Amino acid sequence: MTTYRQPGLVLTDHTFTVPLDHAQPAGERIELYGREAVATARAGEQLPWLVYLEGGPGFGARRLTGTQAWLGRAVQDYRVLLLDQRGAGRSTPLNRQTLPLRGGPKEQADFLALFRADSIVRDCEAIRPQLTGGAPWTVLGQSFGGFCTVHYLSTAPEGLATALITGGLPALDGHPDDVYRAAYPRMERKNQAHYARYPQDVERARRIAGHLAEHRTELPGGYRLTPEAFQSLGILLGLGNGSHQLHYLLENAFVRTPAGRTLSDAFLEGVLGVLSFASHPLYALLHEACYAQGDRPTAWAAERVRAEFGRFDAAAALDGDGPLLFTGETVHPWHFDVDPSLRPLKRTAELLAARSGWSALYDQGRLSANEVPTAAVVYHDDLYVETAHSMRTARAIRGLRTWVTDEFEHDGVRVSGARVLDRLLALARDDA
């Protein structure tokens, strides 16, 4: 273990090994990484543990500096483990470079099926005794990390002292089709709000999409920017300052050159930073699979359901006079054509989309008998998670206390300082 310091914190690197397939504990093992954080003034104390599960799938725990965001509040009471979930960050990272070690697309797809919430929770239970001596710990789950937390409550509640969920109460029994049928109207509302704030962006977005339809455009590194890929910038609209980020990106899209107006290098570089999956390819590969349960395949749900919402058709928008609608947290087959970090994984993605026989993720019977103090913040009209689905799940978990707010977007736990975590702790402790 390596220990070092940042302002206000003592940090320690931990490496663990866990079974690749927890159903075969004597089989192949993989490596997990976690960063322990404790307040400098409390480093020598015996403190309860809090494990943080990042959103995703496919993101390592956020690299905070010092006591940024919620971490400053957490270390007042806890020793914190910032866990890189399997396949992400420093935990056996998976991407176009490493996945071929598993074999061809079929072997890769079979391997990736072991990287969902069920395996992540079993990883947590495997490492918990090493850190806590067997005592239960608190879990803070953000977004997909909240999905993992609900699975934790369903399968191993004995490992939990408290469960805290931020923007991550999933539908318990919905197919991805249901998720996206709820998502596209929500995306449209976010577009309407953006264009109401920045009406000048209506024409800007149409002009950019029109240029992309007529000119083959590649971002640095070879990402092909099509009108549909450009629409994916709508993922920004789920963040607290995302509408403003999108506006500033669009306002400097074009420059005059000797050959005429064209998209600027600065614009293309900025777009790449938002759209590339190079740092989180598991998000694209497993995004729909993180909802999958039972024998029905996901079958590119976001793409199929999009066809039911004609207003999101870029070509139709350009042929008419309506606004171009940006999309949000959706993954499509064409992502594996336009993004060079995903192209070698296209067949693997197709096999995952066709896969059936997914294990159940949630046990509604156990959730209805829950005894773990649990609190969740639901961001009203969250772009990434349907509020109605979250509230239905909240009612299904015995004793769960909710805080529903439109003060924050999906990133509230990060941008609110201590406020969101402080409120959740008060709810879970029955102090609010």
Side-chain angles (χ1 to χ4, degrees):
M1 295 187 295
T2 302
T3 297
Y4 47 102
R5 292 175 181 264
Q6 288 182 357
L9 296 178
V10 176
L11 303 171
T12 302
D13 291 339
H14 290 271
T15 301
F16 313 92
T17 61
V18 297
L20 167 64
D21 184 348
H22 286 277
Q24 300 181 36
E28 180 181 351
R29 300 181 73 82
I30 60 172
E31 188 173 277
L32 298 182
Y33 168 79
R35 180 178 282 111
E36 173 189 338
V38 62
T40 303
R42 308 198 70 183
E45 298 182 32
Q46 294 293 320
L47 296 170
W49 280 84
L50 178 149
V51 59
Y52 174 67
L53 299 180
E54 185 60 89
F59 288 90
R62 196 163 295 269
R63 271 44 178 169
L64 302 173
T65 302
T67 55
Q68 278 184 321
W70 57 271
L71 186 56
R73 174 64 185 88
V75 296
Q76 292 178 25
D77 298 348
Y78 297 98
R79 193 174 294 270
V80 175
L81 183 68
L82 300 159
L83 181 66
D84 284 354
Q85 298 164 34
R86 55 168 53 200
R90 292 173 59 182
S91 292
T92 314
L94 302 180
N95 54 42
R96 66 175 178 83
Q97 297 167 297
T98 63
L99 277 168
L101 293 169
R102 307 306 307 188
K106 182 183 183 306
E107 291 78 15
Q108 292 175 24
D110 291 342
F111 180 65
L112 288 167
L114 297 170
F115 284 74
R116 300 200 310 153
D118 46 2
S119 295
I120 290 167
V121 168
R122 296 189 76 173
D123 289 344
C124 289
E125 280 299 278
I127 67 177
R128 176 176 60 84
Q130 302 176 48
L131 295 176
T132 73
W137 57 10
T138 291
V139 170
L140 172 61
Q142 157 67 10
S143 189
F144 171 71
F147 293 15
C148 295
T149 304
V150 176
H151 181 80
Y152 217 144
L153 290 168
S154 294
T155 60
E158 67 278 3
L160 297 176
T162 308
L164 308 171
I165 297 167
T166 64
L169 283 174
L172 296 179
D173 56 6
H175 184 267
D177 286 14
D178 305 315
V179 171
Y180 293 113
R181 285 199 179 96
Y184 281 106
R186 204 164 63 245
M187 294 178 204
E188 185 166 1
R189 291 194 296 273
K190 296 295 186 183
N191 275 271
Q192 291 168 346
H194 175 79
Y195 285 138
R197 180 184 291 274
Y198 294 115
Q200 62 270 47
D201 285 355
V202 173
E203 183 54 33
R204 286 172 177 164
R206 286 179 55 86
R207 191 181 309 125
I208 294 166
H211 178 90
L212 296 173
E214 295 176 2
H215 302 86
R216 182 182 175 92
T217 302
E218 287 194 354
L219 305 180
Y223 187 115
R224 186 181 172 202
L225 188 60
T226 63
E228 290 76 18
F230 171 63
Q231 286 177 283
S232 296
L233 288 174
I235 197 167
L236 290 171
L237 298 177
L239 305 178
N241 65 353
S243 177
H244 311 305
Q245 290 184 50
L246 180 60
H247 169 69
Y248 290 136
L249 194 57
L250 299 183
E251 72 175 359
N252 291 317
F254 286 99
V255 292
R256 293 187 181 279
T257 73
R261 287 171 60 85
T262 192
L263 294 171
S264 72
D265 289 345
F267 170 77
L268 297 177
E269 189 72 40
V271 169
L272 179 65
V274 178
L275 297 187
S276 173
F277 284 100
S279 66
H280 51 284
L282 282 195
Y283 179 98
L285 287 160
L286 292 178
H287 190 259
E288 293 191 358
C290 77
Y291 300 108
Q293 302 184 82
D295 290 332
R296 189 174 167 195
T298 61
W300 299 110
E303 177 74 7
R304 288 185 294 98
V305 172
R306 177 175 173 149
E308 301 172 15
F309 296 88
R311 290 184 295 278
F312 284 88
D313 186 309
L318 293 174
D319 286 342
D321 56 5
L324 181 86
L325 295 183
F326 292 97
T327 53
E329 196 183 36
T330 55
V331 176
H332 303 267
W334 48 259
H335 275 118
F336 291 83
D337 295 319
V338 302
D339 190 331
S341 69
L342 298 181
R343 282 179 199 137
L345 304 174
K346 181 175 182 178
R347 181 56 185 155
T348 302
E350 292 171 343
L351 291 171
L352 285 167
R355 192 181 187 92
S356 60
W358 295 102
S359 59
L361 291 170
Y362 311 110
D363 185 329
Q364 298 195 44
R366 295 193 77 175
L367 293 174
S368 69
N370 174 57
E371 295 183 353
V372 177
T374 304
V377 58
V378 177
Y379 302 118
H380 181 257
D381 220 27
D382 188 333
L383 177 64
Y384 305 136
V385 180
E386 171 60 30
T387 302
H389 293 170
S390 293
M391 295 309 297
R392 190 157 55 246
T393 296
R395 290 190 290 271
I397 302 175
R398 179 177 178 267
L400 183 147
R401 298 190 65 185
T402 56
W403 172 32
V404 183
T405 178
D406 60 4
E407 184 176 357
F408 304 106
E409 293 287 349
H410 192 71
D411 56 348
V413 74
R414 295 195 298 272
V415 303
S416 68
R419 288 179 60 197
V420 167
L421 179 55
D422 195 56
R423 180 70 179 274
L424 289 180
L425 285 169
L427 288 170
R429 295 168 177 172
D430 205 22
D431 289 337

